[in-house]
Amino acid sequence: MKVANLLSEVAAIDSFKSYGKVTRVVGLTIESKGPQVSIGELCYIIIGKSSKRKVMAEVVGFRDEMVLLMPFTTVHDISPGSLVEATKKPLQVKVGSGLIGQIVDGLGQPLNGHELPNGLTSFPTENVPPNPLSRPRIQEPLSLGVRAIDSLFTVGKGQRIGIFAGSGVGKSTLMAMIAKNSDADVNVIALIGERGREVRDFIERDLADDGLRKTVVVVATSDQPALMRIKGAMTATAIAEYFRNQGLNVTLMMDSVTRFAMAQREIGLAIGEPPTTKGYTPSVFAYLPKLLERSGTNEYGSITAFYTVLVDGDDMNEPIADAVRGILDGHLVLDRKLANKGQFPAINPLKSISRVMNDLVDPNHRLAADRLRQLLATYIESEDLINIGAYKRGTSKELDAAILAYPSIIQFIKQTTEERVSFDEAVHRLLNEFS
């Protein structure tokens, strides 16, 4: 049987290699005359006369009869006439259980320079989302270990949630809490466009050994080419898809979708796309659903996904935030005002929502969550009057109840990074205090 497989693989090998030649470099793109390739195909640019170093690049478009390539790394030694070798296949990464606990780059290679463990298999980075009719409905809650989310915005296995926040409001800390405390079998965390300094801080301080033990981290820092940041997001999603196909419940966390969109905008502008909304090219809004729809459930397992979205100036209606919110199954809004008050996680219960919560919880749980939000909304509406002493107790029974409950609400939402709360504990406390 093995001999037959080997023979079939040998028969599939192309005995001819197709080459082209670099003609010029324009901005981020490399133009070459030939080879015969298709969009998304992986190519090698051969650099140097003696060492013959190969640089990986991807076909991103065509102009007249020229092939437009974009390299995965910065290219300094490229020259006119450098050979371009076609591979006849798209990018693939190595995946398997041996990858758990590893920190890899956007191409799936270890960041520490070591070799990947044996026993891994090749898996394409770009895949088609599951057929809508083959997706099982989301009917089982996933315990995340974060009291405010489990009780007020219950997340189901296979749900996709956006985390919307400005910079420095606690997105990374919340992601680390979910990675350490959730009941998922495997975590895949993608750090896309992060500052290089923050990568090690996140892994060693926020994630620590407890979180890394069942996690694969994919890193594409902000100094890397736009294509590498795109591939970081695609590679992380592909790794999550592989584990989902093994029947596992996977948690995928991507920080951030905004930097993925910015990288796609760079590529789009470089190949001649017209800028549209706030300078974003049409391909950005075409790629977002292709990326986000790949997570969720399929007939084997589930990917519960959390995508962080940077909102400029805390503007929740900027183009990327608006597009992502329309695709996902709910969103958590981290409020800077709450963070400034020392409330972490800084989740604003009045601006956040889980679109599948009603299918996952019983009526008593739902009523208690609604009651907490109602009390908080009543308090916030009259907060200024309360603070300046203009409100007299007894004027409104509802407001009196809100004032009495407000300290309990804040204490309920607050949670330290070391505190782990089970789903049952979170719901039990919610029912006891607010039902």
Side-chain angles (χ1 to χ4, degrees):
M1 187 66 178
K2 291 183 178 179
V3 175
N5 290 338
L6 287 172
L7 289 174
S8 63
E9 289 180 13
V10 170
I13 295 174
D14 193 346
S15 56
F16 295 95
K17 286 188 177 180
S18 181
Y19 291 94
K21 284 189 177 182
V22 172
T23 56
R24 65 172 182 164
V25 176
V26 183
L28 303 175
T29 59
I30 299 166
E31 289 189 8
S32 73
K33 189 172 183 179
Q36 187 71 32
V37 288
S38 57
I39 293 286
E41 188 173 322
L42 184 67
C43 293
Y44 290 108
I45 301 172
I46 302 172
I47 297 174
K49 295 181 179 178
S50 56
S51 61
K52 300 291 184 185
R53 183 164 59 93
K54 289 186 175 183
V55 172
M56 295 173 68
E58 185 176 287
V59 179
V60 295
F62 306 98
R63 183 176 292 128
D64 298 326
E65 295 183 359
M66 309 303 289
V67 178
L68 302 182
L69 301 159
M70 197 162 283
F72 288 106
T73 57
T74 54
V75 180
H76 299 292
D77 301 327
I78 192 169
S79 59
S82 294
L83 289 178
V84 178
E85 179 184 320
T87 64
K88 307 293 185 186
K89 60 183 180 180
L91 178 67
Q92 295 189 330
V93 293
K94 295 289 186 179
V95 293
S97 58
L99 204 60
I100 299 173
Q102 298 282 338
I103 303 162
V104 299
D105 63 15
L107 304 179
Q109 297 300 315
L111 271 185
N112 57 14
H114 296 167
E115 294 292 325
L116 285 171
N118 296 325
L120 304 182
T121 58
S122 295
F123 197 77
T125 58
E126 297 201 29
N127 300 293
V128 178
N131 186 308
L133 295 182
S134 70
R135 288 183 185 267
R137 292 185 61 197
I138 299 169
Q139 296 178 319
E140 186 179 351
L142 176 69
S143 176
L144 300 178
V146 180
R147 183 167 49 243
I149 302 176
D150 283 344
S151 58
L152 301 178
F153 312 102
T154 306
V155 173
K157 293 179 180 179
Q159 188 174 351
R160 300 160 305 151
I161 293 283
I163 301 176
F164 293 74
S167 56
V169 189
K171 296 186 303 298
S172 298
T173 305
L174 180 58
M175 285 172 52
M177 287 176 68
I178 293 171
K180 288 189 287 188
N181 299 339
S182 80
D183 286 344
D185 300 315
V186 180
N187 300 311
V188 180
I189 299 178
L191 303 177
I192 308 301
E194 281 286 340
R195 304 173 188 89
R197 174 190 62 81
E198 292 183 341
V199 172
R200 191 162 184 176
D201 283 350
F202 174 79
I203 292 169
E204 295 184 359
R205 180 192 64 201
D206 297 331
L207 197 59
D209 292 338
D210 288 344
L212 191 58
R213 193 173 294 116
K214 63 172 185 177
T215 302
V216 181
V217 182
V218 181
V219 178
T221 50
S222 58
D223 60 295
Q224 293 182 311
L227 188 61
M228 196 67 161
R229 282 173 268 150
I230 293 285
K231 289 302 172 188
M234 296 296 185
T235 294
T237 306
I239 293 170
E241 287 172 326
Y242 170 81
F243 287 118
R244 176 179 64 185
N245 291 345
Q246 306 304 306
L248 301 178
N249 293 312
V250 186
T251 297
L252 170 64
M253 287 167 275
M254 189 175 295
D255 185 14
S256 69
V257 172
T258 306
R259 295 190 179 115
F260 168 86
M262 288 177 175
Q264 183 57 42
R265 176 174 63 183
E266 284 182 45
I267 294 173
L269 292 173
I271 63 176
E273 278 192 81
T276 52
T277 312
K278 271 201 171 181
Y280 288 102
T281 56
S283 63
V284 173
F285 301 100
Y287 269 91
L288 279 174
K290 289 182 181 178
L291 174 70
L292 303 180
E293 286 288 347
R294 286 170 60 181
S295 55
T297 58
N298 72 358
E299 59 267 36
Y300 306 110
S302 68
I303 299 175
T304 307
F306 296 86
Y307 299 98
T308 69
V309 181
L310 286 167
V311 286
D312 295 333
D314 297 328
D315 176 16
M316 294 299 298
N317 295 315
E318 62 96 26
I320 299 303
D322 208 34
V324 171
R325 189 166 54 242
I327 298 168
L328 299 180
D329 308 317
H331 54 270
L332 303 172
V333 177
L334 304 188
D335 197 319
R336 190 177 300 279
K337 290 180 181 179
L338 300 179
N340 291 340
K341 292 179 182 179
Q343 178 180 318
F344 291 100
I347 298 170
N348 188 327
L350 304 181
K351 295 182 179 178
S352 306
I353 190 170
S354 170
R355 293 180 181 170
V356 301
M357 178 177 175
N358 290 345
D359 297 331
L360 304 174
V361 302
D362 60 56
N364 291 332
H365 181 173
R366 184 169 63 251
L367 289 172
D370 290 342
R371 179 59 178 165
L372 183 149
R373 279 190 286 268
Q374 182 184 358
L375 290 169
L376 182 60
T378 302
Y379 182 90
I380 295 298
E381 284 176 6
S382 304
E383 188 172 19
D384 292 340
L385 292 175
I386 296 166
N387 289 338
I388 64 174
Y391 173 73
K392 292 183 179 180
R393 293 205 174 192
T395 307
S396 167
K397 289 184 179 180
E398 187 65 21
L399 186 51
D400 288 345
I403 293 171
L404 188 64
Y406 184 71
S408 299
I409 293 172
I410 299 304
Q411 288 304 314
F412 181 82
I413 295 172
K414 274 187 175 183
Q415 184 177 335
T416 63
T417 54
E418 294 80 20
E419 183 183 1
R420 178 167 184 174
V421 181
S422 71
F423 181 83
D424 291 337
E425 288 171 345
V427 175
H428 184 261
R429 180 170 170 182
L430 177 72
L431 293 172
N432 277 351
E433 296 186 15
F434 302 102
S435 59

